[in-house]
Amino acid sequence: MHLTDDEDQLRQLEKTVRILQKKLERSEADRRQLEQASELRELLLKAVIREREESQLALEQRSHELETALENLKTLQLKLVESEKMSALGVLVAGIAHEINNPVSFIYGNIGFAEAYFRDLLELLQLYQQQYPHPTAVIQAKQNAIDFNFVTADLNKLLSSMRIGAERIYEIVRSLRIFSRLDESEYKAVNIHEGIDSTLVILNNRLKPSAACPTGIQVICEYGELPFVQCFPGLLNQVFMNVLVNAIDALEENSSSCESLQSVSPSSQPYIHIRTVQVRDKVMICIADNGPGISEALRSKLFDPFFTTKEIGKGTGLGLAISRQIIVEKHHGSLEVESTPGQGAKFVITLPINKHAN
Ligand SMILES: Nc1ncnc2c1ncn2[C@@H]1O[C@H](COP(=O)(O)OP(=O)(O)OP(=O)(O)O)[C@@H](O)[C@H]1O
Ligand SMILES: [Mg+2]
């Protein structure tokens, strides 16, 4: 009886052990399943992360490509605008200069003869007056009617002012031709000062006193002894034009703001100072103004294409970008700016005297 009890207990125990073992096996299976699932999840996660990294890399590469494409596009556009601007302006200027050149040559060339003929006729009349001191009534009446004494005195002044005018037109036409230099688009040695002077003649109208700048703009040229410089003269003149027009714009802007503050003093008389000097195998052309100057924040963007602080329609923001391209790429020189805000700006062009173009 006692034994059966024991056996019973033993069986009970074995059963419990079996149940426990089963449970253990099941939980082991569950654990493995869980483990597998977590491994799978980890794999999936890694795949997702890798994919994300790859797509981010692709995106970065794409945006880099886009940036490069945009940069290329801007450069291309700049080149297009440059050639477009240059050829359109050059053709126009050269055409006008050519058209004016012929008629002005008639006037300029004949004024000398007109003066000589007038002198001869006057001498003849004086001779008549000496030989026939008592003119008839008809002659006397005509002399009074035309105010003979006034006419003879005034005709001289008239002819000399016509001569000055014709000389001025002649000079402008010559400057236009030098400026456009359409016939000299190749690389050649020229006198830089002639280019600057012709640009100033063309800009003369903007330097005179005007509503925008009642005092006018004084130009001080301090030219050094320069040799002829190998360059593309037409393009170089375009750079002088861009830098000088910017200086005039800045001075006009300053002048109108000074006027509104009513603080124009003699020291604030607007000026542009052009200085040229040879430094070893280079020439330096410094164009400085006493305008508002350029803040440091703006200075870094100054040469960027399309950067402008001028109102829409006034500036395209291409002047300095094109100028730097002309100086650096075409002439292997440099174009730099120096400025103390409130005290004006200075643009320094450095050109090798004899550097072969690319
Ligand atoms: N002498 C200067 N003084 C003060 N600011 C200047 C001077 N020169 C240039 N700048 C500044 O640099 C900017 C860029 O000049 P840039 O010549 O490239 O373009 P723009 O004159 O605005 O337009 P665009 O020359 O194409 O008609 C100007 O808008 C102006 O703010
Ligand atoms: Mg400009």
Side-chain angles (χ1 to χ4, degrees):
M1 186 69 204
H2 197 169
L3 203 86
T4 342
D5 254 13
D6 276 356
E7 267 174 11
D8 226 21
Q9 258 185 2
L10 200 70
R11 236 176 275 135
Q12 199 65 37
L13 217 71
E14 272 173 0
K15 196 174 158 196
T16 318
V17 167
R18 266 202 310 277
I19 291 170
L20 273 172
Q21 204 154 14
K22 276 251 164 59
K23 277 190 177 168
L24 200 72
E25 276 168 12
R26 222 176 298 136
S27 75
E28 179 66 15
D30 280 354
R31 195 187 61 81
R32 268 204 302 274
Q33 233 174 1
L34 256 168
E35 224 173 51
Q36 275 172 358
S38 104
E39 266 171 29
L40 200 70
R41 232 183 37 207
E42 206 172 314
L43 272 174
L44 270 171
L45 207 70
K46 276 188 181 157
V48 168
I49 289 175
R50 201 176 324 117
E51 239 169 70
R52 237 192 76 119
E53 279 175 352
E54 275 171 10
S55 68
Q56 189 159 354
L57 215 71
L59 213 70
E60 275 172 16
Q61 202 173 341
R62 190 93 193 92
S63 92
H64 188 71
E65 276 170 16
L66 273 172
E67 263 174 39
T68 320
L70 189 71
E71 212 51 51
N72 287 345
L73 211 67
K74 276 188 178 174
T75 317
L76 197 71
Q77 189 170 12
L78 205 63
K79 284 195 169 138
L80 267 174
V81 172
E82 179 202 327
S83 58
E84 189 66 19
K85 241 183 163 180
M86 202 44 216
S87 61
L89 185 74
V91 169
L92 194 77
V93 166
I96 294 171
H98 181 77
E99 283 305 309
I100 302 175
N101 200 43
N102 278 345
V104 94
S105 298
F106 306 151
I107 302 172
Y108 188 63
N110 287 330
I111 275 189
F113 293 115
E115 279 176 329
Y117 295 166
F118 170 65
R119 253 195 324 271
D120 289 348
L121 285 172
L122 206 62
E123 277 170 18
L124 184 69
L125 273 174
Q126 279 163 352
L127 213 62
Y128 265 116
Q129 277 175 333
Q130 283 166 16
Q131 301 295 319
Y132 303 101
H134 306 294
T136 63
V138 180
I139 290 176
Q140 191 69 57
K142 188 67 182 172
Q143 244 182 16
N144 293 342
I146 66 169
D147 201 348
F148 179 74
N149 290 337
F150 171 77
V151 167
T152 45
D154 204 47
L155 195 57
N156 257 324
K157 285 191 215 151
L158 206 125
L159 283 169
S160 85
S161 75
M162 278 165 73
R163 171 185 285 284
I164 293 167
E167 273 169 3
R168 178 110 190 89
I169 300 174
Y170 200 76
E171 177 58 27
I172 291 170
V173 171
R174 200 178 86 90
S175 297
L176 284 174
R177 289 181 124 182
I178 293 177
F179 179 76
S180 70
R181 294 216 134 136
L182 211 65
D183 47 336
E184 297 174 19
S185 51
E186 85 275 25
Y187 196 62
K188 62 184 297 188
V190 297
N191 177 353
I192 295 277
H193 298 145
E194 259 195 2
I196 301 174
D197 288 340
S198 72
T199 312
L200 286 172
V201 169
I202 292 167
L203 286 174
N204 189 39
N205 200 38
R206 292 205 57 195
L207 299 168
K208 288 191 302 200
S210 65
C213 191
T215 50
I217 295 167
Q218 193 191 353
V219 178
I220 306 149
C221 293
E222 202 185 314
Y223 291 162
E225 282 285 323
L226 291 194
F228 276 25
V229 175
Q230 291 276 355
C231 63
F232 294 97
L235 290 180
L236 208 56
N237 290 343
Q238 202 191 348
V239 173
F240 298 145
M241 178 66 102
N242 282 333
V243 176
L244 285 166
V245 165
N246 279 348
I248 296 172
D249 284 345
L251 290 168
E252 281 184 352
E253 181 200 319
N254 215 26
S255 163
S256 53
S257 62
C258 271
E259 210 182 359
S260 61
L261 293 171
Q262 302 206 319
S263 60
V264 188
S265 69
S267 63
S268 67
Q269 153 82 33
Y271 69 75
I272 295 175
H273 186 173
I274 307 171
R275 198 168 67 87
T276 63
V277 64
Q278 178 179 354
V279 183
R280 289 186 295 278
D281 56 348
K282 292 187 168 69
V283 294
M284 271 168 71
I285 302 131
C286 306
I287 301 177
D289 63 70
N290 63 340
I294 304 153
S295 72
E296 190 158 357
L298 292 193
R299 235 176 293 155
S300 57
K301 303 187 203 139
L302 221 60
F303 296 94
D304 289 354
F306 306 107
F307 172 76
T308 181
T309 57
K310 294 169 192 173
E311 55 201 65
I312 298 168
K314 193 153 188 237
T316 59
L318 284 175
L320 287 178
I322 289 175
S323 299
R324 181 171 261 183
Q325 199 179 42
I326 291 174
I327 297 295
V328 175
E329 288 181 18
K330 297 269 183 189
H331 294 91
H332 308 282
S334 65
L335 170 60
E336 301 298 334
V337 64
E338 296 166 18
S339 176
T340 313
Q343 286 177 28
K346 178 157 106 176
F347 286 82
V348 183
I349 302 164
T350 310
L351 291 172
I353 292 166
N354 198 348
K355 171 92 187 137
H356 288 296
N358 47 10

